[in-house]
Amino acid sequence: MTIVAVEPSERAVVEEFYAVFAAAHEHDRTGPYPRIARFAIGFEDQWDDETVAAHVFVRGGAVAGGYALRLPHKDNSHMAMLRTLVVAPGARRAGIGSALLEHATGVARAHGRRVLRGESPAQGPGAAFARAHGFSSGLVEVRRALDLRAADPGRLAELRREAERHAAGYTLERWRGSAPERLLPDLAVLINGMNDAPMGDLDVTGEHWDVERVLAMERMNEAADTLMYATIARHAATGEPAGYSALAVPRSRPDGWARQTDTVVLRPHRGHRLGLLLKLANLAWMREHEPDVEHIVTWNAASNSHMIAINERMGFRVRDEWHQWQRPWTRRPARDGRLETAG
């Protein structure tokens, strides 16, 4: 039994790890979950200011579990983020998860991090594992889904007309796939607005987005075989970007699900129902091109009452609750006068 590093080029190992990842989600009923193209991206350094460390636990010549750890270098450089830590359902209760967590913690400490962060459903083995290993919940999120098969088109159209009446003086621009180059500066401004989202008690700071980082995100979506549908709102009188919403659809191996990513309205432009308008307009456009999409999934902080109200008016219903977990450690003087880590 051993823990070994995974390189993105080791496709067979990545695919074996993904099989474990998918089996764990199926067993724990935590779907929908990312397709393999997006999963594999988690092993690559997608940003110039981030390192990804991925390892698998090999037992009897087969992958029995693994983890992928994000290590930012600019924003939140004090933190390490577990993108995933899973153990095959048939290999649980054998200490593999604990061994992987100890290994990931060692990697995080070696990179000078003081907080380890991860996520899981609020109920089930992931939550029990987190609590047993000293993690506390820093943010409660609720996952909701919209069943497009049951959605009332007339109701959605009426909501959109209502939002348009309140949003007089704003225009919409949309694109599919990568954002036009001329919109990249506006998109950076809008994504920075996501720093207003509630973060609970998480030990995190806001992220700074610029054009280069937006381009990196675009490249990641392409590599993950994801097609983006996006719409921005612009203040007609000044030309200022005001709001943004996007949906992500798998290009290949579709499963009937799309993912709502960011939705943001900048502070000076709130109060005009732009969030509702953006989501409805973007959804309608996506449905024109993606008739096989049957469900939209989204996450919101449980305290984000404004966005939750928008989602519920559209017909999103609660699917489950998730926790963002964190575990800090402290540094204390060792007997020889040096510093050692305790956590």
Side-chain angles (χ1 to χ4, degrees):
M1 296 185 293
T2 186
I3 295 175
V4 297
V6 180
E7 299 297 332
S9 59
E10 297 174 323
R11 188 66 182 182
V13 178
V14 172
E15 290 179 354
E16 193 173 355
F17 186 10
Y18 181 75
V20 171
F21 173 83
H25 277 280
E26 294 290 346
H27 181 271
D28 299 334
R29 299 183 179 180
T30 52
Y33 50 87
R35 303 295 89 188
I36 188 169
R38 178 162 289 276
F39 175 83
I41 289 298
F43 297 90
E44 301 179 14
D45 297 344
Q46 287 304 307
W47 319 104
D48 291 338
D49 61 346
E50 178 179 284
T51 297
V52 175
H55 292 76
V56 292
F57 191 102
V58 179
R59 184 177 68 173
V63 172
Y67 73 83
L69 189 70
R70 287 180 52 209
L71 297 157
H73 300 308
K74 293 181 180 178
D75 306 326
N76 296 299
S77 60
H78 65 288
M79 180 192 75
M81 174 69 179
L82 280 166
R83 285 181 53 95
T84 187
L85 191 158
V86 294
V87 177
R92 294 176 179 177
R93 299 291 185 179
I96 294 175
S98 296
L100 287 167
L101 179 61
E102 182 179 0
H103 191 277
T105 301
V107 173
R109 286 173 168 169
H111 283 80
R113 308 309 159 105
R114 60 176 174 81
V115 178
L116 187 62
R117 180 180 161 196
E119 66 178 9
S120 80
Q123 305 296 327
F129 179 84
R131 292 191 180 97
H133 288 84
F135 287 79
S136 61
S137 176
L139 179 69
V140 178
E141 295 183 299
V142 181
R143 181 166 62 167
R144 288 175 169 81
L146 174 61
D147 186 344
L148 295 174
R149 300 167 301 177
D152 181 352
R155 169 65 176 158
L156 294 176
E158 175 55 34
L159 283 175
R160 181 171 177 177
R161 287 191 292 269
E162 173 191 322
E164 287 171 341
R165 289 193 294 270
H166 287 83
Y170 290 87
T171 60
L172 301 183
E173 300 176 55
R174 65 191 188 187
W175 67 91
R176 183 170 64 153
S178 297
E181 185 176 356
R182 64 181 178 81
L183 294 181
L184 294 178
D186 291 337
L187 195 51
V189 170
L190 290 164
I191 297 177
N192 277 315
M194 290 296 296
N195 288 322
D196 286 347
M199 295 306 291
D201 296 323
L202 289 176
D203 183 5
V204 295
T205 59
E207 295 182 342
H208 173 69
W209 285 76
D210 56 18
V211 168
E212 289 304 314
R213 194 166 193 175
V214 173
L215 283 170
M217 178 183 70
E218 301 281 275
R219 290 193 297 269
M220 181 185 72
N221 287 328
E222 287 291 329
D225 202 27
T226 300
L227 181 61
M228 301 300 297
Y229 288 82
T231 302
I232 66 170
R234 190 179 299 281
H235 188 232
T238 63
E240 293 178 350
Y244 164 71
S245 187
L247 289 163
V249 181
R251 289 181 186 267
S252 61
R253 301 183 64 178
D255 56 4
W257 287 85
R259 178 169 47 91
Q260 174 72 58
T261 62
D262 296 342
T263 297
V264 61
V265 177
L266 301 183
R267 284 182 179 274
H269 303 282
R270 293 174 185 171
H272 300 281
R273 309 269 176 104
L274 287 175
L276 179 61
L277 176 58
L278 282 163
K279 294 191 76 165
L280 286 167
N282 202 48
L283 173 61
W285 184 48
M286 184 275 292
R287 294 187 75 181
E288 291 178 14
H289 295 273
E290 307 288 344
D292 293 333
V293 171
E294 298 179 340
H295 300 88
I296 309 292
V297 65
T298 188
W299 277 261
N300 301 107
S303 60
N304 193 346
S305 57
H306 180 71
M307 191 57 65
I308 288 171
I310 290 175
N311 288 336
E312 291 186 341
R313 292 193 73 190
M314 292 177 62
F316 282 86
R317 296 294 178 258
V318 172
R319 187 174 177 87
D320 52 14
E321 186 177 278
W322 286 61
H323 284 199
Q324 292 279 343
W325 303 98
Q326 62 184 5
R327 188 183 71 180
W329 48 81
T330 58
R331 296 179 69 83
R332 65 188 181 197
R335 292 181 181 178
D336 61 2
R338 296 178 299 174
L339 289 178
E340 65 179 16
T341 303

